[in-house]
């Protein structure tokens, strides 16, 4: 009997302790006498970045003693699953990194993340005002928050705040360049092609005795080069495919344009772009498309090729790994004087825009305003300087003398069309046939034949899914519209429209017009 | 059945006491959670709804005292709850109908009618005619309400959608001329915007340009919506050789959206138009 009583007493004590702890944890994450805990979940596990976040958290805690910052760094391969579990289980950190290259993220962001419009249209209090300031938080970013991660085209709303500029860069072995007597960059595509001969002439071979090629490749490194090559010769399409005259070619423009017969894979610019890609693949190490990112980097460090493409953030570890001097520059793309491709070139391809990355969003929670404040702090003057200092990465916010100025990054025509063509509308057909571009008995014409035959059905299905998602988005907005109207102090019969609500309705109406437009299009373009 | 006062019976009683205690403590814990940051009336629920958190707003409305405001909130939350289900939509419709029949708060009738129209228009498939009926009732019964203005915009979408794809320019223009225009400038701006986009879709740039000019004049707009408008206006005006209009829109865009990705292309366009004007 005594044993039993002891057992019951233990159960009661443990239950009481559990509830007290749970209650304390809860109050610690909301308000009241305890500290507020802000957690940041991210997958950027580079030591330099973690160190930055640790220091930034400490700095924020010093000026806001009631706040505690904690980072949760989760390895990228398991991040998406972890993120979903946390969100569905209502345990999500207040701030989370997200990226659209992770499948299904767009839907998750739409449903669970905070819309940041009202903050980005105001100045960032943590920014030291420069000449002509204060400017809106949005305008302090080098890309004006105009990236797929930060701005949802579907909801026409801002959801993310980026910390760095992504963007792709061309890295090369400066030591080898000097040895080979090659003129310093930037090179045009033709000049880059000639590098193969120059390297042969000096008998440059790698450790295994294989001739050194102008470029090492991997699926990742080649993607960045192909993207820039594609963008360099398809610029006229930015005007001809622009369905609604806003100088922004979206997936819808491309998909509808294809079904309308405004372009296909035999269109001159498209064919030229894939020819250029095939030609450039001969400058890379064999089997590049089968190699992962790390294999490519290893080949570069082993001097099997003189250059490599990659993200701008790769520079810091390339420099750590390579036993030679590494430099970065513009990708060698055709210019207007190119005898074959020059006719399609209107100007430079942008190296500066559309490329912010490492995007953080705020989960809807009682702490959302605090979380936004912390993001403002992170992207303020002091922390952006600290991030650059800790990581060497190009930060997302403009400073007094920007890193872009030092790197002489070009502004130019957008670089997004390759991504749109390969991943919006008919990605399955593209992935099925892309190897035809490189095969000895294949080529761009064979690829184009296949794509033109296989794409219409897939594109139409994709358009249907776009209409369905848009309709879903509009449905979600109705309750928000009613609530925003109700929250306005004067919402009587003759009241004027609140400016915020007017902005929201403006977006809602445009989206609905777009939905109707897609549906009209689908009605007149039946399934082939 | 254990005998009264037996060891088994005593153990059973003790277990029950423990269970009661656990339940009481549990409720205490839960109360702490639910009571946190309570706000008066339904305000917290509306706030959650406005912040895209309909699922969290729903239980608050559902447990609130009976009122017309609660009914409107319930219907809105049912429509916004995730995942969306047909049952929720049907239930929202019933709640709104009850509100319209029973409430003397007439200022809530207009939003209720609007939501009923939206249920038919966007939550149900192929019910445009039913939606149109609600929009027209709203326009007739509450012409001064801002909801009538929103209804006029949505009504235009239904009417334009009915035009056959191959309608000629005059047919489209006369259909547009017959549409009811909203009263408030923000809604009118929206109305002209969607008309302009429809006309562009049909290749009628001349008529579209007039509407785009009105959009710019009527309301400032914000964010990307405004940036797109200025570029569209500049681009359409350029194609119609309206250099002055194009430059004015493009320059406004370059000033207001200094970091927009389209700046490079717009700057080139401005230089090209200026060169052509100088010739």
């Amino acid at each position: 009997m005594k044993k039993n009583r002891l057992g019951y007493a233990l159960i009661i004590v443990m239950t009481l302790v559990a509830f007290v702890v749970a209650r304390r944890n809860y109050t610690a994450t909301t308000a009241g006498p305890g500290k507020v805990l802000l957690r940041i979940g991210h997958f950027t596990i580079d030591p330099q970045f973690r160190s930055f976040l640790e220091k930034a958290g400490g700095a924020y805690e010093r000026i806001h003693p009631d706040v505690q910052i904690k980072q949760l760094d989760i390895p990228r391969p398991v991040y998406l699953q972890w993120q979903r579990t946390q969100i569905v289980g209502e345990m999500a950190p207040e701030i989370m990194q997200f990226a659209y290259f992770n499948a299904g993220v767009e839907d998750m962001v739409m449903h669970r993340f905070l819309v940041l419009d009202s903050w980005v249209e105001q100045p960032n209090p943590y920014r030291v005002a420069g000449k002509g300031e204060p400017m809106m938080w949005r305008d302090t970013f080098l890309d004006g928050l105009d990236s797929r991660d930060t701005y949802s085209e579907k909801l026409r709303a801002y959801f993310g705040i980026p910390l760095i500029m992504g963007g792709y860069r061309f890295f090369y072995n400066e030591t080898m360049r000097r040895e080979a007597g090659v003129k310093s960059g930037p090179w045009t595509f033709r000049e880059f092609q000639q590098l193969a001969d120059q390297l042969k002439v000096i008998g440059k071979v790698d450790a295994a005795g294989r001739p050194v090629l102008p470029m090492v490749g991997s699926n990742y490194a080649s993607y960045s080069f192909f993207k820039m090559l594609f963008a360099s010769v398809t610029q006229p399409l930015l005007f001809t495919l622009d369905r609604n005259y806003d100088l922004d070619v979206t997936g819808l423009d491309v998909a509808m344009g294809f079904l309308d017969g405004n372009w296909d894979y035999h269109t001159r610019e498209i064919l030229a772009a894939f020819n250029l890609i095939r030609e450039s693949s001969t400058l890379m190490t064999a089997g590049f498309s089968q190699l992962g990112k790390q294999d490519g980097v290893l080949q570069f460090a082993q001097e099997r090729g003189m250059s490599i493409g990659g993200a701008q953030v790769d520079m810091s570890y390339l420099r750590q790994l390579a036993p030679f001097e590494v430099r970065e520059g513009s990708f060698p793309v055709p210019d207007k004087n190119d005898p074959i491709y020059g006719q399609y070139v209107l100007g430079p391809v942008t190296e500066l825009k559309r490329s912010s990355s490492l995007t953080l969003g705020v989960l809807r929670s009682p702490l959302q305003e605090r979380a936004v404040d912390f993001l403002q702090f992170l992207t303020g003057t002091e922390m952006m300087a600290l991030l650059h200092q800790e990581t060497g990465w190009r930060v997302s916010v403009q400073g007094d003398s920007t890193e872009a100025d030092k790197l002489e990054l070009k502004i130019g025509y957008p670089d997004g069309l390759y991504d749109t063509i390969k991943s919006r509308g008919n990605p399955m057909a593209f992935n099925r046939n892309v190897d035809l571009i490189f095969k000895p008995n294949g080529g761009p014409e064979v690829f184009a034949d296949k794509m033109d035959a296989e794409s219409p059905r897939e594109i139409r299905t994709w358009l249907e899914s776009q209409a369905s998602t848009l309709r879903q988005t509009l449905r979600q907005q109705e309750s928000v519209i009613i609530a925003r109207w109700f929250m306005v102090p004067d919402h009587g019969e003759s009241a004027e429209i609140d400016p915020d609500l007017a902005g929201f309705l403006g977006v809602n109406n445009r989206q609905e017009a777009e939905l109707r437009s897609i549906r009209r299009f689908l009605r007149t373009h039946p399934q082939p | 059945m254990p005998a009264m006062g037996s060891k088994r019976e005593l153990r059973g009683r003790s277990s029950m006491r423990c269970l009661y205690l656990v339940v009481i403590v549990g409720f205490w814990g839960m109360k702490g959670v639910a009571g946190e940051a309570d706000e008066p009336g339904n305000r917290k629920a509306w706030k959650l709804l406005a912040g895209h958190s309909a699922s969290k707003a729903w239980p608050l409305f559902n447990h609130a005292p009976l009122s017309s405001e609660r009914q409107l909130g319930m219907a809105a939350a049912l429509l916004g709850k995730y995942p969306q289900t047909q049952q929720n939509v049907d239930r929202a419709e019933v709640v709104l109908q009850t509100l319209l029949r029973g409430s003397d708060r007439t200022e809530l009738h207009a939003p209720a009618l609007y939501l009923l129209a939206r249920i038919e228009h966007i939550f149900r498939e192929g019910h445009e005619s039913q939606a149109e009926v609600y929009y027209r009732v709203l326009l007739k019964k509450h012409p001064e309400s801002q909801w009538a203005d929103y209804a006029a915009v949505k009504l235009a979408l239904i009417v334009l959608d009915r035009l056959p794809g191959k309608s000629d320019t005059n047919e489209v223009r006369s259909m547009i001329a017959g549409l009811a225009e909203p009263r408030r400038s923000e809604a009118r701006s929206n109305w002209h915007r969607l008309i302009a986009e429809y006309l562009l879709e049909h290749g009628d740039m001349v008529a579209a340009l007039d509407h785009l000019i009105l959009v710019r004049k009527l309301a400032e707009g914000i964010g990307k919506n405004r940036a797109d408008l200025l570029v569209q206006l500049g681009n359409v005006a350029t194609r119609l050789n309206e250099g002055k209009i194009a430059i004015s829109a493009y320059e406004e865009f370059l000033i207001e959206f200094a970091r927009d990705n389209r700046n490079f292309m717009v700057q080139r366009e401005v230089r090209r138009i200026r060169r052509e004007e100088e010739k």
Side-chain angles (χ1 to χ4, degrees):
Chain A
M1 192 66 193
K2 257 186 183 178
K3 264 187 190 173
N4 277 341
R5 280 188 186 164
L6 196 67
Y8 294 138
L10 204 60
I11 290 172
I12 293 165
V13 169
M14 291 309 287
T15 312
L16 284 172
V17 169
F19 276 109
V20 168
V21 169
R23 193 179 160 85
R24 271 196 185 169
N25 281 348
Y26 181 79
T27 47
T29 56
T30 50
K35 278 193 173 190
V36 163
L37 178 66
L38 283 183
R39 296 159 300 162
I40 306 165
H42 66 88
F43 56 80
T44 312
I45 56 173
D46 308 55
Q48 310 98 310
F49 180 71
R50 283 186 292 179
S51 157
F52 157 73
L53 214 47
E54 208 60 50
K55 288 181 182 172
Y60 189 78
E61 287 167 9
R62 278 192 291 282
I63 52 172
H64 299 281
D66 59 328
V67 179
Q68 191 190 339
I69 305 289
K70 187 181 178 189
Q71 63 171 313
L72 307 167
D73 41 355
I74 311 296
R76 191 155 150 180
V78 294
Y79 184 79
L80 187 60
Q81 206 175 359
W82 175 82
Q83 187 174 41
R84 278 188 192 289
T85 316
Q86 295 289 307
I87 290 176
V88 172
E90 306 272 333
M91 305 176 287
E94 288 65 35
I95 298 171
M96 283 183 128
Q97 184 178 4
F98 62 87
Y100 283 116
F101 52 70
N102 286 327
V105 159
E106 204 164 6
D107 199 41
M108 188 164 64
V109 168
M110 243 189 253
H111 289 113
R112 308 289 188 157
F113 282 68
L114 181 67
V115 173
L116 300 171
D117 288 29
S118 52
W119 286 278
V120 303
E121 306 273 349
Q122 301 290 326
N124 177 358
Y126 296 101
R127 182 173 167 82
V128 176
K131 205 177 169 186
E133 298 210 42
M135 58 169 76
M136 287 188 282
W137 190 18
R138 183 193 65 202
D139 291 341
T140 66
F141 292 90
L142 287 164
D143 69 349
L145 289 185
D146 190 7
S147 77
R148 205 174 160 202
D149 283 345
T150 54
Y151 184 77
S152 163
E153 280 284 345
K154 281 188 192 127
L155 278 188
R156 308 241 174 209
Y158 294 95
F159 281 96
I161 296 298
L163 296 188
I164 60 169
M165 294 309 284
Y168 294 98
R169 294 293 279 162
F170 173 75
F171 304 103
Y172 60 93
N173 182 333
E174 169 64 5
T175 314
M176 190 187 286
R177 181 199 69 79
R178 278 199 302 265
E179 273 176 45
V182 173
K183 82 166 185 85
S184 56
W187 302 289
T188 64
F189 181 69
R190 292 293 157 201
E191 288 167 338
F192 188 63
Q193 263 189 326
Q194 286 159 15
L195 276 182
D197 298 331
Q198 286 174 277
L199 291 168
K200 261 184 213 157
V201 168
I202 60 160
K204 193 77 190 161
V205 289
D206 66 11
R210 288 170 293 214
V212 170
L213 290 164
M215 197 173 215
V216 297
S218 66
N219 53 8
Y220 173 80
S222 61
Y223 158 75
S224 58
F225 189 26
F226 294 164
K227 179 182 166 86
M228 298 305 271
L229 289 171
F230 195 92
S232 68
V233 295
T234 53
Q235 290 158 359
L237 298 179
L238 297 173
F239 296 94
T240 54
L241 298 184
D242 181 16
R243 194 174 45 102
N244 56 353
Y245 304 93
D246 62 358
L247 295 180
D248 186 13
V249 175
T250 62
L252 283 179
D253 291 326
V254 169
M256 288 167 145
F258 184 88
L259 292 183
D260 252 346
N262 293 337
W263 74 279
D264 61 22
Y265 286 84
H266 287 88
T267 298
R268 283 171 1 122
E269 290 89 348
I270 299 284
L271 216 44
F274 285 116
N275 267 313
L276 182 57
I277 285 174
R278 181 181 166 96
E279 229 178 301
S280 71
S281 69
T282 61
L283 305 172
M284 292 179 192
T285 43
F288 65 88
S289 61
Q290 304 303 317
L291 298 178
K293 180 181 176 180
Q294 293 310 323
D295 301 320
V297 169
L298 194 65
Q299 287 194 350
F300 181 65
Q302 290 170 341
E303 299 194 76
R304 289 190 57 190
M306 204 187 97
S307 63
I308 187 170
Q312 63 97 4
V313 292
D314 295 338
M315 184 57 160
S316 41
Y317 77 82
L318 281 178
R319 277 190 173 141
Q320 279 171 7
L321 280 176
F324 46 80
E325 187 185 346
V326 182
R327 287 209 180 161
E328 66 178 294
S330 301
F331 278 97
V333 297
D335 63 3
K336 279 184 179 175
N337 300 318
D338 190 284
I340 299 169
Y341 302 110
Q343 57 184 312
Y344 308 113
V345 177
L346 299 181
V349 179
T350 187
E351 294 173 339
L352 183 61
K353 304 279 181 165
R354 242 189 214 291
S355 52
S356 62
S357 180
L358 212 170
T359 304
L360 301 174
V362 172
L363 273 292
R364 292 176 203 150
S365 80
L367 297 180
Q368 61 192 33
E369 299 200 357
R370 278 286 190 173
V372 175
D373 188 71
F374 183 62
L375 288 188
Q376 287 180 319
F377 178 74
L378 282 183
T379 52
T381 312
E382 202 184 327
M383 288 305 111
M384 283 285 102
L386 179 67
L387 177 59
H388 179 63
Q389 188 190 318
E390 288 283 318
T391 61
W393 299 342
R394 191 157 64 90
V395 296
S396 59
V397 167
Q398 51 177 322
D400 292 335
S401 77
T402 65
E403 201 57 18
D405 294 337
K406 287 181 217 158
L407 292 170
E408 294 175 344
L409 295 179
K410 288 177 197 155
I411 60 161
Y413 289 93
D415 64 356
L417 200 55
Y418 183 58
D419 294 328
T420 312
I421 295 264
K422 77 193 260 297
S423 61
R424 315 278 287 161
N426 54 345
M428 286 189 291
F430 190 92
N431 291 333
R432 249 192 331 266
N433 297 310
V434 66
D435 61 318
L436 288 173
I437 298 170
F438 310 106
K439 275 188 175 168
N441 55 349
E445 287 279 358
V446 180
F447 169 74
D449 289 344
K450 279 275 198 186
M451 289 300 287
D452 285 344
E454 293 178 17
S455 296
R457 186 174 287 270
E458 193 180 329
I459 288 179
R460 198 182 184 283
T461 306
W462 181 81
L463 279 173
E464 282 167 359
S465 77
Q466 291 300 297
S468 163
T469 313
L470 208 45
R471 186 163 174 239
Q472 193 68 13
T473 305
L474 286 161
R475 287 169 166 183
Q476 286 160 13
Q477 291 173 356
E478 291 308 325
S479 56
V480 181
I481 290 168
I482 293 282
R484 290 195 180 187
W485 166 80
F486 200 88
M487 298 286 289
V488 177
D490 178 15
H491 54 253
E493 280 274 284
S494 55
E496 286 306 308
I497 301 176
D498 172 71
D500 281 347
L501 180 58
F504 195 87
L505 279 160
V507 171
N508 173 270
N509 286 321
R510 265 194 92 190
Q511 283 176 330
E512 192 156 355
E514 189 160 84
L515 169 66
R516 306 290 159 198
S517 168
I518 299 172
R519 287 187 157 189
R520 280 194 293 272
F521 184 89
L522 287 170
R523 279 203 297 269
T524 52
H525 295 75
Q527 186 66 270
Chain B
M1 192 158 166
M4 285 266 283
S6 72
K7 269 189 184 178
R8 212 170 136 201
E9 195 260 357
L10 283 172
R11 224 178 285 155
R13 269 196 225 163
S14 305
S15 306
M16 286 309 287
R17 277 183 205 137
C18 282
L19 191 63
Y20 292 145
L21 195 62
V22 167
V23 170
I24 290 162
V25 173
F27 274 118
W28 170 76
M30 293 295 285
K31 193 173 171 251
V33 172
E36 203 68 49
D38 261 357
E39 286 182 47
N42 294 326
R43 189 156 179 82
K44 190 179 176 189
W46 284 111
K47 223 163 140 180
L48 284 165
L49 210 52
H52 295 260
S53 299
S55 299
K56 285 184 180 168
W58 162 252
L60 300 181
F61 279 124
N62 198 26
H63 294 112
L66 194 64
S67 71
S68 308
E69 179 190 327
R70 177 206 174 212
Q71 284 174 314
L72 187 67
M74 272 176 78
L78 280 165
L79 294 177
K81 265 178 81 175
Y82 181 76
Q84 286 167 343
T85 64
Q86 198 49 55
Q87 288 92 322
N88 282 345
V89 174
D90 294 344
R91 202 169 157 196
E93 186 184 22
V94 172
V95 173
L96 290 167
Q97 297 284 16
T98 314
L99 189 160
L100 282 177
R101 278 197 304 271
S103 172
D104 50 3
R105 284 187 65 181
T106 48
E107 83 275 15
L108 298 184
H109 285 195
L113 277 167
Y114 180 82
L115 269 189
L116 282 167
R118 298 302 286 155
I119 285 174
E120 302 293 2
H121 199 178
I122 200 83
F123 287 85
R124 290 186 179 141
E125 200 64 59
H127 284 217
E128 280 78 12
S129 310
Q130 291 93 319
E132 186 178 350
V133 172
Y134 280 120
Y135 288 136
R136 291 202 187 278
V137 171
L138 175 50
L139 280 162
K140 198 177 166 193
K141 285 194 172 174
H142 306 274
E144 299 296 327
S145 158
Q146 48 184 284
W147 294 103
D149 278 351
Y150 308 156
V153 178
K154 301 298 186 191
L155 197 55
L157 285 170
I158 292 180
V159 175
L160 292 175
D161 225 15
R162 283 205 193 115
L163 276 171
K166 286 174 185 168
S167 312
D168 67 30
T169 308
N170 290 333
E171 215 176 329
V172 174
R173 287 185 187 183
S174 67
M175 179 68 96
I176 289 166
L179 288 170
E181 232 182 286
R183 296 172 186 222
R184 290 166 180 81
S185 60
E186 294 88 346
R188 276 174 67 207
S189 168
N190 281 195
W191 187 87
H192 284 290
R193 183 79 183 263
L194 66 91
I195 302 275
E197 303 234 6
Y198 184 86
L199 288 163
L200 288 175
E201 187 183 315
H202 281 75
D204 189 353
M205 279 202 278
V206 177
L209 182 64
D210 292 339
H211 288 278
L212 287 172
I213 290 169
L214 282 170
V215 177
R216 187 187 182 192
K217 205 182 274 180
L218 284 165
E220 276 190 4
I222 53 161
K224 194 163 177 346
N225 236 3
R226 176 163 173 78
D228 287 351
L229 167 73
L230 293 172
V231 175
Q232 275 179 318
L233 184 52
N235 200 350
V236 172
T238 306
R239 287 164 194 253
L240 295 172
N241 292 319
E242 295 283 357
K244 275 186 186 153
I245 298 172
I247 285 185
S248 145
Y250 277 151
E251 286 188 334
E252 207 165 313
F253 166 80
L254 289 171
I255 292 166
E256 285 184 35
F257 300 94
R259 298 282 153 193
D260 193 285
N261 282 346
R262 293 167 285 192
N263 273 13
F264 176 82
M265 291 165 83
V266 169
Q267 277 168 0
R268 282 206 154 188
E269 281 294 285
V270 170
R271 280 200 296 272
R272 194 181 58 76
I273 298 165
R274 284 200 192 287
R275 271 199 309 273
E276 273 173 23
E277 280 194 338
E278 280 165 16
K279 276 180 196 169

